[in-house]
Amino acid sequence: MKKVTALLAAAVAAACFAGPAAAQDKYPSKPTRIIVPYAPGGATDIVSRILGDQLKEIFKQAFVTENKPGAFGILAIEEMARSKPDGYSLMIGNVTTNAITPILHAKKFSIDYAKDVIPVARLVDIPAFVVVSKDLPVKTMQEFVDYAKKNKGKVRYGHVGVGSYPQYDMEVLAKRAGIELVGIPNKAGASGILKDMATGDIQASFLNVASSAALIKAGQIRPIAVVNPTRLPSYPDVPTMAEVGFPGVGTLAWQAMFAPAGTPKDVLDALIKGIVEALDKPSTKEAFSKQYFNIVPTKSPEEAKKWLADEMANWKKITEEVKVDLAE
């Protein structure tokens, strides 16, 4: 009897100590890192830092951005995928790194992207302009197409790298319009493209609205169409791609959060709840509005999974329709 009583007492004591410990382990109970596959300052980095600040307020734990550029996003993806699936190593990637790269560069991965990476939530998408240089004598998309037809193979466009969505966007536009353009990659990203446009080294590009704003205001470049479902309030005179006769051409460049496969559902649920709350805060809306970002979160693991599957299927079709030389 004394032995049974002692065992019961020990069990009660263990339960008392286990309760607080279990509560402390509720996600997140320590800082979380968000891996970004680009250098600081770009759209993906901006999204990570704005969202990380808001998640810190909600969860009372730090969400720290860690930049790891290189290899078309593969370095960041693989580091995240190999991390312990506990919610403390996440990634924010975009359409290039997390939809196009797994298709174009599948053989360069040392992981199985489809099995080892899961989407947590889509976060935002980013409207883009088709912009032309001030020296190009066109003011509309039709004039641009007509000019390119008369100057076959002479109009140069800029993009941020071989296999990037801006390259595909322009090549799809060229194919649908029946024109021939010359693509010029720029490793310096949007800032490099803008510099080349200002000097006249290139004449056209797909560029996100926030990156373009300063040079548009300065009269160095001219927007002739916007990739967005509707016209932008700040640019009411710039028609959508659908309005200029090219519906479905151009990418609303999404940003999304990813996690290692095997991350527990309760952790994913907590993350998604926090993300939706963060994106609904007035301060977040204001910060993203200044960047012209559309807030478009998925709200469950199932919705995120279906969304990514649809994106991958769409980009498989695009990469089959338009072939780019990956050896450029």
Side-chain angles (χ1 to χ4, degrees):
M1 185 67 180
K2 287 183 179 180
K3 186 176 181 180
V4 173
T5 302
L7 287 172
L8 287 173
V12 170
C16 290
F17 284 107
Q24 289 174 2
D25 288 339
K26 182 179 179 182
Y27 180 85
S29 61
K30 62 182 181 179
T32 295
R33 65 173 181 157
I34 302 175
I35 302 170
V36 169
Y38 296 102
T44 308
D45 182 72
I46 290 170
V47 170
S48 179
R49 293 178 191 278
I50 291 174
L51 181 63
D53 287 345
Q54 299 298 341
L55 291 176
K56 179 181 178 180
E57 288 189 13
I58 291 168
F59 288 119
K60 309 305 178 188
Q61 291 288 346
F63 282 74
V64 181
T65 295
E66 181 179 306
N67 301 90
K68 195 173 185 68
F72 313 100
I74 294 173
L75 294 179
I77 292 169
E78 291 192 340
E79 180 165 330
M80 180 272 297
R82 292 194 185 101
S83 300
K84 185 177 180 180
D86 55 6
Y88 292 101
S89 290
L90 306 170
M91 174 186 174
I92 291 181
N94 68 8
V95 60
T96 293
T97 58
N98 289 78
I100 301 175
T101 286
I103 295 170
L104 292 185
H105 305 290
K107 293 181 179 179
K108 294 183 178 181
F109 279 91
S110 60
I111 63 166
D112 187 329
Y113 182 83
K115 293 181 179 179
D116 296 335
V117 176
I118 58 172
V120 178
R122 180 180 61 180
L123 305 170
V124 301
D125 60 35
I126 304 174
F129 284 136
V130 179
V131 293
V132 296
S133 66
K134 69 180 189 310
D135 297 325
L136 202 68
V138 305
K139 294 183 178 179
T140 68
M141 178 63 77
Q142 187 58 55
E143 290 178 357
F144 174 72
V145 171
D146 292 342
Y147 181 88
K149 285 181 177 178
K150 292 176 183 177
N151 296 272
K152 185 177 179 180
K154 295 182 179 179
V155 177
R156 301 180 300 278
Y157 74 89
H159 60 84
V160 295
V162 175
S164 63
Y165 71 85
Q167 181 186 25
Y168 274 106
D169 288 349
M170 194 61 83
E171 290 297 332
V172 170
L173 173 61
K175 185 172 184 178
R176 303 277 171 87
I179 58 179
E180 184 178 318
L181 306 172
V182 178
I184 308 295
N186 194 306
K187 293 182 178 180
S191 61
I193 291 172
L194 288 165
K195 181 179 179 181
D196 287 348
M197 291 200 75
T199 59
D201 289 341
I202 59 173
Q203 289 87 38
S205 186
F206 276 85
L207 285 171
N208 77 59
V209 175
S211 297
S212 309
L215 282 191
I216 290 173
K217 186 176 181 179
Q220 295 295 306
I221 59 177
R222 184 181 306 117
I224 58 174
V226 64
V227 181
N228 203 51
T230 60
R231 295 192 184 198
L232 300 176
S234 300
Y235 298 88
D237 296 330
V238 181
T240 66
M241 290 296 285
E243 289 178 304
V244 298
F246 295 100
V249 176
T251 300
L252 273 168
W254 49 260
Q255 309 282 331
M257 181 177 284
F258 298 84
T263 301
K265 187 176 185 304
D266 61 328
V267 172
L268 293 176
D269 288 342
L271 268 171
I272 293 167
K273 183 179 178 182
I275 288 168
V276 171
E277 181 180 342
L279 294 179
D280 195 45
K281 294 174 68 173
S283 55
T284 310
K285 292 179 179 179
E286 181 181 2
F288 283 142
S289 178
K290 289 179 179 178
Q291 299 291 332
Y292 299 95
F293 293 176
N294 300 317
I295 296 173
V296 287
T298 49
K299 297 181 179 180
S300 71
E302 295 75 24
E303 185 183 353
K305 185 177 180 180
K306 182 182 184 305
W307 161 76
L308 184 61
D310 290 344
E311 279 294 310
M312 298 291 288
N314 177 57
W315 278 100
K316 192 171 189 306
K317 290 179 182 177
I318 293 173
T319 55
E320 289 173 350
E321 176 187 355
V322 175
K323 299 296 183 182
V324 300
D325 185 358
L326 298 179
E328 286 184 22

